[in-house]
Amino acid sequence: MADTVREIERKYEATDETQLPDLTAADRVAAVAERGVAELDATYYDTVDQRLASAGITLRRRTGGEDAGWHLKLPVALGIRDEVRTPLSDAPPPELTALVRSRTLGRELAPVIRLRTRRTVRLLQAADGTALAELAVDAVRATRADRTGAEVRWHEIEVELTGEGGGDAALLDEVGAVLAAAGVRPATAASKLARALAETAAEGAPSKPSKPSKPGKSGKPGKRSGKKARTAGDIVLRYVREQVRVIIELDPAVRRDLPDSVHQMRVATRRLRSAFRSYTKVLDRAVTRPIGLELQWLAAELGVDRDREVLTARLSGALAQVPRTLRLGPVSARLRIWSQRRRLGSRREVLAVLDGERYLELLRGLEALLADPPLRGAAARSAPEVLVKAVLKDYARLAGRVEAALGTPPGPRRDEALHGARKAAKRVRYAAEAARPVLGKPAKKFAKRTKRVQQVLGDHQDSVVARGALRELATQAQRAGEAGFTFGLLYGREEALAAERERQLPAVWAKAAPPSRW
């Protein structure tokens, strides 16, 4: 069984002669308690090409101390990591190797570094005795696990917040200021492993893993560092790389069932597939189409859980607005059981997908595409020229679908047509978002207006789906001898809401025209 703790810490350079200052000089530190010395022995695992280290991830087997076992550290933000722990075993546990599968892509994990640390621990306490942080002075001996057996030694200081102290990172700033005043400087390496790999690397080998990307929740483009992109290929590939990064980084979050992770991963798959379809003049469709079909499959599999989640929230919210006098029968309990049964099934299906070979092949295909992008002639042309044409082409397709839907008589056929227009609106929005780095504010405003069309159409489609679920719930209630009145009432309200969205659409659509000048 895996446990997770949030690690918030700072690291500092030290020598065997470094003297700690009076740490009670920090405002909130009233006392420093000696906690003794611990002998730690950790073996770090990675692939031959150090895929985990390149992503800022560490997987180790450690003995000694109070938390002996396997530890997987996943980056959350600068100086913050989630540490997933499992009990000691001989080989890396499946619970942890699954969490890095999107990085390793099936490659073998083997020992790369052994770290033996003599740790002297002090507890920083508040006036009431609360443990605020733990300060450790570490004497480290790192040994390469390969045949070179290269070894290096150093000292460092770690200051880590404790859960008891509430996790206030401002305390780390206070302690850091006291250390800085005493001449102690922040560590240059992000972790012990990063330093060990760099300082034990063989001559001619890379001195350290490539810099990991910063963790993030969204696949939205626009605020990325690096060389300014100018060609259409530069812009489209930047967008594609961002979506692939998001998919890979969210894989462990989905496995851990973190909030909104499934939704964000699904959005990234859709953005990526949309880019392949919108920018066919930049990326060869013969190469991207098979990958796009696999992305469509993945989005559909992820959607099982996400759609259940959205639908449950919608129905629960609607039910909460019904007066108690009109809630006939155990409607809340029936809705809850209905949702829970679907969640158990959908959760198992999502994990099975992520553990499957088909998903692994998709990730390998994305890696290969980024390593050797299938660029076409237009990729070398000016980005604004190529991207504007692509966005306008998608807009023309959307316009045709909206006009066709509005011209279709109310009923199932119109519902289907409006759903098609919604998907087209999403594609236009994503194409405009991808073009924002070069088209600027006009693209941003256009994407925002298109999003509003998408939202109106999306709410309409959600109503269509909700009505189907309400019919199912009413049928179940009837078979159980319960009143179906409340579900019928909700059905009527959903019908009225859908009709209102259809009335709103022409006005919203009229405001969604592309800019006259980009």
Side-chain angles (χ1 to χ4, degrees):
M1 183 67 180
D3 295 319
T4 302
V5 296
R6 177 61 56 88
E7 178 187 82
I8 306 176
E9 66 178 13
R10 306 276 173 83
K11 294 178 179 291
Y12 300 88
E13 304 285 355
T15 69
D16 57 356
E17 298 178 354
T18 298
Q19 298 295 315
L20 289 176
D22 179 6
L23 296 168
T24 60
D27 290 343
R28 279 176 283 181
V29 179
V32 179
E34 299 287 343
R35 293 293 299 272
V37 177
E39 299 289 344
L40 310 176
D41 192 342
T43 300
Y44 288 77
Y45 285 69
D46 206 336
T47 59
V48 171
D49 51 353
Q50 297 177 14
R51 287 170 168 258
L52 301 188
S54 296
I57 297 171
T58 61
L59 173 63
R60 73 186 180 198
R61 181 186 188 277
R62 191 169 79 180
T63 58
E66 298 177 352
D67 60 349
W70 284 90
H71 305 157
L72 174 66
K73 296 189 178 186
L74 300 167
V76 176
L78 187 62
I80 304 176
R81 294 188 290 183
D82 276 348
E83 183 174 288
V84 187
R85 301 172 176 174
T86 62
L88 281 174
S89 60
D90 292 334
E95 301 99 307
L96 301 188
T97 56
L99 293 176
V100 296
R101 192 170 188 248
S102 65
R103 300 286 186 181
T104 63
L105 301 185
R107 289 168 173 80
E108 182 182 1
L109 288 167
V112 290
I113 290 287
R114 182 183 181 187
L115 289 181
R116 281 161 283 190
T117 304
R118 183 177 177 81
R119 168 165 289 180
T120 304
V121 181
R122 295 169 176 83
L123 203 60
L124 310 186
Q125 298 174 313
D128 61 359
T130 300
L132 300 174
E134 183 179 276
L135 184 144
V137 179
D138 292 338
V140 185
R141 176 159 59 114
T143 308
R144 201 85 179 192
D146 59 23
R147 65 182 64 183
T148 68
E151 188 169 288
V152 64
R153 299 175 184 241
W154 73 88
H155 289 74
E156 70 177 40
I157 298 170
E158 285 187 5
V159 185
E160 181 179 348
L161 295 178
T162 66
E164 188 178 345
D168 185 359
L171 174 69
L172 295 180
D173 295 332
E174 296 174 16
V175 175
V178 174
L179 292 172
V184 179
R185 298 292 175 250
T188 56
S191 66
K192 288 183 175 68
L193 176 63
R195 181 168 181 173
L197 288 171
E199 296 189 10
T200 62
E203 186 175 349
S207 61
K208 60 181 179 180
S210 59
K211 186 177 180 181
S213 59
K214 295 181 179 180
K217 290 185 176 180
S218 173
K220 294 182 180 179
K223 295 183 179 180
R224 303 286 291 174
S225 60
K227 183 179 178 181
K228 184 178 180 181
R230 297 183 181 279
T231 68
D234 290 332
I235 296 298
V236 173
L237 282 178
R238 175 191 290 184
Y239 187 80
V240 167
R241 287 192 185 96
E242 177 68 4
Q243 307 321 313
V244 174
R245 179 192 69 80
V246 171
I247 292 170
I248 292 171
E249 288 188 357
L250 284 173
D251 177 290
V254 171
R255 293 174 185 273
R256 295 167 60 200
D257 202 18
L258 297 186
D260 206 35
S261 56
V262 171
H263 171 60
Q264 292 296 335
M265 189 175 185
R266 188 186 187 192
V267 168
T269 63
R270 286 177 164 175
R271 282 193 167 110
L272 185 52
R273 180 169 176 256
S274 181
F276 289 162
R277 300 176 72 186
S278 295
Y279 295 110
T280 55
K281 298 294 185 182
V282 176
L283 296 174
D284 188 348
R285 186 70 172 144
V287 177
T288 62
R289 187 175 185 279
I291 298 176
L293 291 174
E294 291 302 281
L295 289 168
Q296 183 180 23
W297 160 77
L298 178 59
E301 294 291 345
L302 294 172
V304 173
D305 192 47
R306 173 61 182 174
D307 291 345
R308 177 210 57 80
E309 184 180 272
V310 171
L311 181 56
T312 299
R314 184 184 186 96
L315 296 181
S316 297
L319 185 59
Q321 295 176 12
V322 175
R324 290 187 178 276
T325 55
L326 299 180
R327 297 183 205 172
L328 306 184
V331 287
S332 296
R334 180 158 294 281
L335 175 58
R336 184 173 59 256
I337 294 170
W338 176 86
S339 177
Q340 288 174 345
R341 286 176 177 170
R342 280 154 181 76
R343 170 167 172 71
L344 289 174
S346 62
R347 176 72 182 153
R348 285 194 297 267
E349 289 171 8
V350 167
L351 292 177
V353 165
L354 298 187
D355 288 336
E357 187 63 26
R358 184 175 180 178
Y359 171 67
L360 197 60
E361 283 301 313
L362 170 58
L363 294 181
R364 288 169 178 156
L366 292 173
E367 181 178 76
L369 181 140
L370 293 180
D372 185 19
L375 297 175
R376 299 187 64 196
R381 288 162 52 188
S382 168
E385 174 191 355
V386 176
L387 271 56
V388 165
K389 287 183 179 179
V391 173
L392 292 179
K393 182 179 178 180
D394 281 350
Y395 174 79
R397 176 172 170 271
L398 168 61
R401 291 199 176 188
V402 171
E403 291 172 8
L406 291 175
T408 302
R413 288 185 58 197
R414 173 181 272 196
D415 292 341
E416 184 178 347
L418 289 171
H419 183 42
R422 173 193 175 222
K423 291 188 284 188
K426 191 178 298 185
R427 178 166 156 182
V428 174
R429 172 192 162 197
Y430 292 160
E433 287 179 351
R436 273 182 56 188
V438 290
L439 301 185
K441 289 184 178 180
K444 180 179 179 180
K445 291 180 179 179
F446 179 54
K448 185 176 181 180
R449 293 194 295 266
T450 308
K451 183 178 180 180
R452 177 56 183 154
V453 174
Q454 176 193 330
Q455 288 173 332
V456 170
L457 292 170
D459 204 19
H460 181 277
Q461 175 62 18
D462 288 347
S463 175
V464 172
V465 174
R467 278 177 275 161
L470 288 167
R471 281 196 299 270
E472 180 182 344
L473 285 163
T475 300
Q476 291 176 359
Q478 184 180 30
R479 288 174 179 171
E482 301 165 3
F485 170 82
T486 305
F487 294 123
L489 176 63
L490 293 177
Y491 187 99
R493 289 185 177 184
E494 287 289 354
E495 269 192 326
L497 186 147
E500 176 61 23
R501 295 296 176 263
E502 290 182 27
R503 285 191 292 271
Q504 291 175 349
L505 179 59
V508 174
W509 170 242
K511 298 178 181 179
S516 56
R517 294 182 63 184
W518 291 92

